[in-house]
Amino acid sequence: MADLDFPLNGQRVFVAGHQGMVGSAIVRALRGQRRCEVLTAPRRSLDLRRPERVESWMRRHRPQAVFLAAARVGGIAANQSRPAEFLHDNLAIASSVVEASRKAAVGKLLFLGSSCIYPRLAPQPISEAALLTGPLEATNEWYAVAKIAGVKLCEAYRRQHGCNFVSLMPTNLYGPGDNFDPESGHVIPALMRRMHDAKAAERDSVAVWGSGAPRREFLHVDDLADACVFLMERYADAGPVNVGSGQELSIAELAALIKDAVGFRGNIVFDASRPDGTPRKRLDLGRLDQLGWRARRALPSGLEETYRWFLAAWIETGPERSVRR
Ligand code: GFB
């Protein structure tokens, strides 16, 4: 296991994006595993895209460590329909928070990227060395460019200013706190929501987008949060670190698992009019293995846990709609 570089006990730790799926999981992990002061700032009181606001907030609260988990996120359809928002907002957030952290002499910053930063047809499993070696996947290149900029910001600030800023690239995530909108969500929450609504309405089929052939690797967000704490404390190098579970399957196989978790008895049909996106995205976890971390949760039980969270957190108001409490 890698040596301790920045122990979090006793530190003031800012979780930027604490209300999102990843940020709320990091807050849970810190409060459950560490004795540190967790600092958060609701979006309505701190717009992370505004550099002057972020710098002023950091002068007041003086964080010693920063988890940069704030981002404009969405599934394949949201990325395709709102490219300017995904590119602008994620660039602005990364630039503002990294520069403000430098000015505030933050001791350690961890930037959350995404596996979509890698080329569409990168050799699988995808190594960190594949970054910028080929064309990106068109459906999410806007988000990917902003996340690549974040990785490069951390490297540039380490090189020029000696900032201890690191970045990690998670594979596709799922779990509590996700966005269960059937159009803008990622595949797991979107299908879970549609199968839940179809079960309630006794509909006999649910459409899965694309061919069902693409393959994805999935990691439970609480495993990711555990990896974030581990890497914040023990990783201090320039390049990004891939974080995944090694659990890869086709979208068709995933849909069958979600069907079981929800208890939907109808048929799964494939809607070829919707995009497949990248044919395959599985991460090489060699660097993470060397550092000494592995994921714990299995996908089937993780899906069941996520469905229970969905039922508790979203009030069902009828077959077609459910609203978040
Ligand atoms: O989850 P998803 O949008 O993420 O799509 P990506 C994964 C696969 O699931 C694609 C298929 O092949 C989709 O065609 N899919 C099937 C569905 N049914 C559905 C559905 O109802 N909703 C959705 N969303 N997909 C994301 C990027 O790409 O990867 C994000 O858009 C982020 O920005 C994330 O980088 C890690 O893996 O295609």
Side-chain angles (χ1 to χ4, degrees):
M1 181 176 289
D3 295 338
L4 271 176
D5 167 66
F6 196 88
L8 290 174
N9 281 339
Q11 304 274 11
R12 288 187 305 280
V13 182
F14 176 35
V15 180
H18 75 287
Q19 291 170 304
M21 175 171 74
V22 173
S24 53
I26 291 171
V27 170
R28 279 199 298 276
L30 290 173
R31 288 182 173 151
Q33 300 172 24
R34 293 291 180 275
R35 291 184 319 284
C36 59
E37 183 184 355
V38 178
L39 305 174
T40 59
R43 195 177 300 185
R44 65 181 174 284
S45 66
L46 176 59
D47 183 342
L48 294 170
R49 298 168 300 178
R50 306 280 299 273
E52 70 288 351
R53 301 281 175 86
V54 183
E55 289 171 22
S56 160
W57 188 93
M58 286 209 180
R59 279 195 299 275
R60 277 200 315 281
H61 297 274
R62 297 180 303 108
Q64 293 157 298
V66 175
F67 286 96
L68 181 35
R72 170 82 57 198
V73 298
I76 195 165
N79 272 268
Q80 279 190 305
S81 58
R82 307 198 318 255
E85 203 177 308
F86 274 80
L87 181 50
H88 172 273
D89 288 3
N90 289 306
L91 274 179
I93 290 167
S95 174
S96 299
V97 177
V98 167
E99 173 62 2
S101 297
R102 177 190 71 81
K103 286 183 173 173
V106 164
K108 188 84 177 270
L109 176 143
L110 184 140
F111 172 75
L112 273 292
S114 164
S115 60
C116 75
I117 67 168
Y118 295 116
R120 168 183 165 79
L121 300 175
Q124 306 282 328
I126 308 171
S127 153
E128 292 90 348
L131 184 59
L132 296 174
T133 59
L136 296 169
E137 159 60 34
T139 55
N140 53 38
E141 63 179 327
W142 328 99
Y143 180 71
V145 165
K147 286 300 181 181
I148 292 170
V151 170
K152 290 301 177 184
L153 273 170
C154 291
E155 288 180 15
Y157 276 63
R158 174 179 291 276
R159 181 178 299 184
Q160 182 174 343
H161 301 299
C163 297
N164 196 358
F165 294 176
V166 298
S167 63
L168 73 79
M169 299 302 119
T171 190
N172 287 46
L173 302 172
Y174 73 98
D178 208 342
N179 165 20
F180 285 79
D181 180 274
E183 274 301 314
S184 65
H186 285 98
V187 59
I188 287 179
L191 284 186
M192 194 168 273
R193 169 71 180 280
R194 291 214 296 277
M195 289 188 192
H196 167 83
D197 291 349
K199 182 174 83 169
E202 295 180 356
R203 282 201 292 274
D204 60 11
S205 70
V206 163
V208 172
W209 294 355
S211 65
R215 300 183 68 79
R216 293 290 186 273
E217 175 189 6
F218 293 99
L219 178 71
H220 191 286
V221 71
D222 283 330
D223 274 341
L224 173 70
D226 190 61
C228 288
V229 173
F230 178 89
L231 292 171
M232 175 71 92
E233 292 194 322
R234 296 176 183 272
Y235 180 63
D237 209 334
V241 179
N242 288 341
V243 179
S245 63
Q247 298 176 79
E248 181 198 26
L249 71 176
S250 74
I251 296 306
E253 290 163 338
L254 172 71
L257 287 181
I258 297 172
K259 184 171 183 272
D260 290 345
V262 171
F264 173 59
R265 298 276 177 266
N267 300 315
I268 288 169
V269 296
F270 293 95
D271 176 357
S273 73
R274 305 302 294 257
D276 268 340
T278 307
R280 194 175 175 205
K281 246 192 306 188
R282 178 175 178 189
L283 298 181
D284 178 316
L285 304 176
R287 185 174 291 176
L288 187 62
D289 279 347
Q290 276 183 336
L291 289 164
W293 186 87
R294 276 180 183 266
R296 286 184 295 114
R297 286 170 177 79
L299 186 57
S301 55
L303 290 172
E304 286 164 11
E305 178 204 326
T306 302
Y307 184 53
R308 286 196 296 272
W309 182 88
F310 166 74
L311 291 175
W314 294 57
I315 302 164
E316 189 177 349
T317 58
E320 294 308 314
R321 286 188 312 113
S322 63
V323 291
R324 187 168 184 175
R325 183 176 291 150

